[in-house]
Amino acid sequence: MDKLVIEGGVPLRGEVEVSGAKNAVLPILAAALLADGPCRIDGVPALKDLDTMLRILRELGMEADRTADGAIETEVVDPSRSRAPYELVRTMRASICVLGPLLGRRKRAEVSFPGGCVIGPRPIDLHIAGLEALGADLRVEGGYIVADGRRMSGREVYLGGAYGPTVTGTANVLMAAVLTPGTTVVEHAACEPEVTDLARFLVAMGARIEGIGGPHLEVTGVDRLVGTRHRVIPDRIEAGTFLTAAAITHGDVVVRGADPSHLTAPIATLQRMGVQVERLPDRALRVRALERLRPTDVVTLPYPGFPTDLQAQFMATLSIADGNSFVTEKIYPERFIHVAELTRMRARIRKEGPTAIVEGVDYLSGAPVMASDLRASAALVVAGLAAHGTTTVDRVYHIDRGYERIEEKLAALGARIRRVSDRDRGGGDPAE
Ligand code: EPZ
């Protein structure tokens, strides 16, 4: 198992380029199941989660290949297949987003029911209710959702839940509705940029969708969708992670290729912390932290609120602010697994219900820490960049699911970070 070894304390300087958004590409690749003819998706990062999605899509009769220039080309060659197997789905919850397009195009689906998740309970009841509202017949059998979409027709679908609307659930309903006769009205749709990007891809294929970007969507079913070409949006969470890396190290970094309009809440939060964030031409952001960071409160919310996927990285950054901050998680109230590891690095964080009280300390102290999920791992790397001494982040495969070449990108900014694999250490004890 690979580890990242970080010697902290170097202010990051220079420019870094953001990759395409993983959470946009995943549903967009699934949506390519709906097309008659080839699709080409540009700007696809090289990430483990995308490899998993490609394996699932191949199981579902799609040819899907990466090109040398970072694109994926797809074409459905065998539409008779409709089973997404447990062995693949269990490794990535986002696989559930093949359910909508399978129902929409093939009118049937068998998708393994996603299991537990380290960031808390992640039910799919809203996906199921949304598809049932369209007239699909869904039942659970042998660990699979077995779905029949032959009686689907345009109806009204409400997607709000106790923690706000559902991102992947909105994607599923949209993908099921675009080839369903009649008009589907989706209320309380998720407004995340990744959903908007999916909707734009569907429209480029010939779908009719009104209200894109908002919580009220109207979809008029069409008979057929054609192949198209699409460039995915930049990864706002990767960009936000670099912003925190610059802030926590008191660096001066230009983040290129990001869309600042997707980062309004994180940028406003950094500004409250005394960090200078300047919008440069051509989708670039310059971030400079010249003084001791100020504490501030963070509440995660559905977009355009502060994203839950940056909560951990901001908590790490606030752990060396000059005072107390309150970090409240409204999307996944149990998403605090990073707290214990940050505490091992000398952070002072106390959890009370869905809120973490972060008492800023003068400095963090490098330590061996364990990655537990994608964003918690990113937070440990961010903390390690600023900590005194050496931080070793174990189980780096979590980071590799969602960050493309993170150590290379950070090293190019001056960070002293390297990947150590068992092979490099002569196949030594992974526990050492
Ligand atoms: C997407 O997950 C992202 N994943 C997550 O990113 C992100 O944290 C999340 O949206 C919230 O922004 C992908 O896009 C692949 P939700 P998703 O359905 O769609 C509850 C990362 O680190 N809910 O919007 O699964 C749910 O438990 C990942 O890249 C229900 O109650 O999230 C949560 O509290 C992690 N019933 C809230 O809604 C449902 O049927 C929002 O979840 C569905 C969700």
Side-chain angles (χ1 to χ4, degrees):
M1 254 183 287
D2 290 2
K3 298 176 183 202
L4 289 178
V5 180
I6 307 164
E7 306 289 337
V10 181
L12 300 189
R13 287 187 199 291
E15 297 192 356
V16 63
E17 184 84 25
V18 174
S19 300
K22 165 185 81 91
N23 288 348
V25 185
L26 287 167
I28 284 173
L29 282 174
L33 284 169
L34 294 162
D36 284 345
C39 290
R40 180 183 161 101
I41 322 296
D42 288 300
V44 177
L47 296 173
K48 274 213 179 117
D49 274 8
L50 293 173
D51 294 337
T52 306
M53 184 52 105
L54 292 182
R55 287 174 65 196
I56 293 172
L57 293 173
R58 288 183 191 121
E59 280 288 318
L60 294 170
M62 182 191 266
E63 272 180 2
D65 295 302
R66 284 184 186 272
T67 66
D69 56 347
I72 290 183
E73 291 175 341
T74 68
E75 182 157 14
V76 175
V77 289
D78 180 3
S80 68
R81 300 161 74 171
S82 56
R83 184 176 169 92
Y86 173 69
E87 299 71 47
L88 293 173
V89 174
R90 77 187 171 93
T91 65
M92 187 181 71
R93 294 185 60 82
S95 330
I96 190 69
C97 68
V98 299
L99 182 57
L102 286 176
L103 272 177
R105 181 76 173 88
R106 303 182 188 177
K107 306 299 172 203
R108 64 180 190 287
E110 279 179 60
V111 180
S112 176
F113 205 111
C117 177
V118 72
I119 66 177
R122 294 179 71 186
I124 54 161
D125 56 311
L126 297 171
H127 300 232
I128 292 175
L131 295 169
E132 282 179 341
L134 278 182
D137 177 34
L138 287 93
R139 58 183 203 281
V140 180
E141 231 177 69
Y144 281 73
I145 301 162
V146 181
D148 177 345
R150 283 173 298 180
R151 280 185 299 278
M152 291 200 305
S153 61
R155 318 248 177 111
E156 190 159 309
V157 179
Y158 177 74
L159 282 180
Y163 303 101
T166 160
V167 173
T168 317
T170 303
N172 260 331
V173 168
L174 263 184
M175 292 187 281
V178 282
L179 286 175
T180 294
T183 300
T184 300
V185 176
V186 186
E187 292 294 0
H188 221 326
C191 303
E192 269 67 8
E194 294 77 14
V195 176
T196 301
D197 204 31
L198 167 68
R200 293 208 175 113
F201 176 65
L202 293 168
V203 167
M205 288 200 292
R208 290 177 57 195
I209 308 173
E210 302 285 331
I212 293 174
H216 171 96
L217 298 171
E218 283 190 27
V219 183
T220 306
V222 295
D223 291 338
R224 125 177 227 271
L225 295 172
V226 294
T228 190
R229 186 171 178 165
H230 180 82
R231 173 165 288 276
V232 288
I233 54 169
D235 196 316
R236 63 193 169 106
I237 306 302
E238 186 198 17
T241 304
F242 289 131
L243 296 182
T244 57
I248 198 171
T249 60
H250 290 95
D252 182 350
V253 169
V254 173
V255 180
R256 290 213 174 272
D259 187 337
S261 71
H262 295 164
L263 287 159
T264 313
I267 290 173
T269 306
L270 285 168
Q271 286 168 335
R272 289 200 305 272
M273 292 162 68
V275 178
Q276 292 180 19
V277 186
E278 195 186 335
R279 291 181 186 213
L280 305 177
D282 295 332
R283 291 187 155 196
L285 284 167
R286 181 175 183 191
V287 53
R288 275 177 294 176
L290 304 173
E291 52 193 77
R292 174 116 194 240
L293 300 175
R294 293 200 290 269
T296 192
D297 295 342
V298 173
V299 181
T300 66
L301 289 169
Y303 187 82
F306 189 95
T308 172
D309 290 345
L310 283 174
Q311 180 255 105
Q313 301 89 315
F314 271 73
M315 190 188 295
T317 309
L318 288 167
S319 72
I320 56 163
D322 189 15
N324 295 347
S325 306
F326 290 77
V327 177
T328 302
E329 179 53 68
K330 296 257 192 183
I331 308 292
Y332 298 113
E334 295 173 29
R335 193 178 201 177
F336 286 111
I337 10 173
H338 40 286
V339 168
E341 297 302 289
L342 288 173
T343 307
R344 302 193 64 252
M345 299 179 71
R346 201 174 172 272
R348 277 200 210 138
I349 306 173
R350 200 170 74 246
K351 201 174 124 348
E352 286 193 11
T355 297
I357 302 155
V358 185
E359 195 185 321
V361 294
D362 292 343
Y363 66 93
L364 295 172
S365 169
V369 285
M370 190 86 86
S372 50
D373 85 294
L374 172 55
R375 309 303 172 187
S377 321
L380 297 175
V381 170
V382 166
L385 292 171
H388 292 185
T390 307
T391 297
T392 309
V393 183
D394 206 346
R395 300 196 179 169
V396 172
Y397 58 84
H398 288 294
I399 298 194
D400 294 335
R401 293 183 61 164
Y403 290 87
E404 191 178 37
R405 299 180 287 105
I406 191 164
E407 74 276 20
E408 283 177 37
K409 290 190 181 188
L410 289 170
L413 294 173
R416 286 177 295 196
I417 179 169
R418 63 196 162 88
R419 181 180 290 256
V420 180
S421 71
D422 285 341
R423 211 176 34 249
D424 298 341
R425 292 178 297 129
D429 176 7
E432 80 186 21

